[in-house]
Amino acid sequence: HLGPIDLVQIPVNLFDQRLAASGYLRRLKQRGIEIHARSLFLQGALLAPPGHIPLRLNAFSDHFSAWHAFLQQHGLSPLQACLEFGLSLPDIDRLIIGVQTLANLREIMAIAGQDRRQDLDFSALACNNQTLINPSQWPAA
């Protein structure tokens, strides 16, 4: 028998907005459950510069083109936009972020310490296609 759940770790990113859009995050929070978000960078795919998305995701080049157009329109780096999105979700308690270097960590901390932008609407970037938003379903490299 499992005890009551008091913490969940969920995938959330600019393409995978299902749990936020469905109201599920709000329901978890109302039950007193702490929410930690992971996969904010979609295995690094959202941080790739234009024209450098992983080859196995080429079928989604239109979605990545829209992503890069959004970045350009709002004057954001991919890292800034990913962090802005994660930090904009009021029901998320913690973001779980992997870093490779101390410089990565410092850059993330600097962005996270900035004032939040209120003019960003990320909803047009949402995708429900499991082949894109679930890395376990990505085609083999």
Side-chain angles (χ1 to χ4, degrees):
H1 176 302
L2 293 173
I5 296 173
D6 59 1
L7 187 143
V8 295
Q9 186 181 106
I10 57 160
V12 172
N13 58 65
L14 287 152
F15 287 172
D16 187 357
Q17 300 181 31
R18 295 169 298 160
L19 295 173
S22 69
Y24 195 71
L25 291 180
R26 171 71 42 187
R27 289 192 298 277
L28 288 172
K29 185 54 57 194
Q30 289 171 341
R31 293 176 69 187
I33 297 173
E34 187 170 338
I35 303 170
H36 294 190
R38 62 174 173 78
S39 303
L40 200 60
F41 307 139
L42 191 59
Q43 303 265 330
L46 289 170
L47 300 179
H52 292 88
I53 63 169
L55 290 176
R56 57 189 172 173
L57 297 178
N58 273 345
F60 299 98
S61 61
D62 288 348
H63 217 75
F64 281 95
S65 292
W67 162 236
H68 289 109
F70 176 89
L71 294 173
Q72 190 170 32
Q73 175 187 0
H74 294 286
L76 295 167
S77 73
L79 181 60
Q80 286 173 310
C82 288
L83 290 172
E84 282 284 350
F85 174 71
L87 293 168
S88 75
L89 299 171
D91 298 316
I92 301 289
D93 295 294
R94 301 279 184 267
L95 301 176
I96 300 170
I97 299 172
V99 297
Q100 295 179 346
T101 66
L102 181 57
N104 289 150
L105 179 60
R106 286 183 176 142
E107 183 179 12
I108 289 166
M109 296 302 292
I111 292 169
Q114 296 173 355
D115 290 336
R116 302 280 57 85
R117 292 202 29 193
Q118 304 300 317
D119 64 330
L120 300 173
D121 179 4
F122 301 105
S123 61
L125 298 169
C127 176
N128 290 321
N129 187 321
Q130 287 291 312
T131 307
L132 173 59
I133 62 176
N134 185 347
S136 70
Q137 293 192 22
W138 288 356

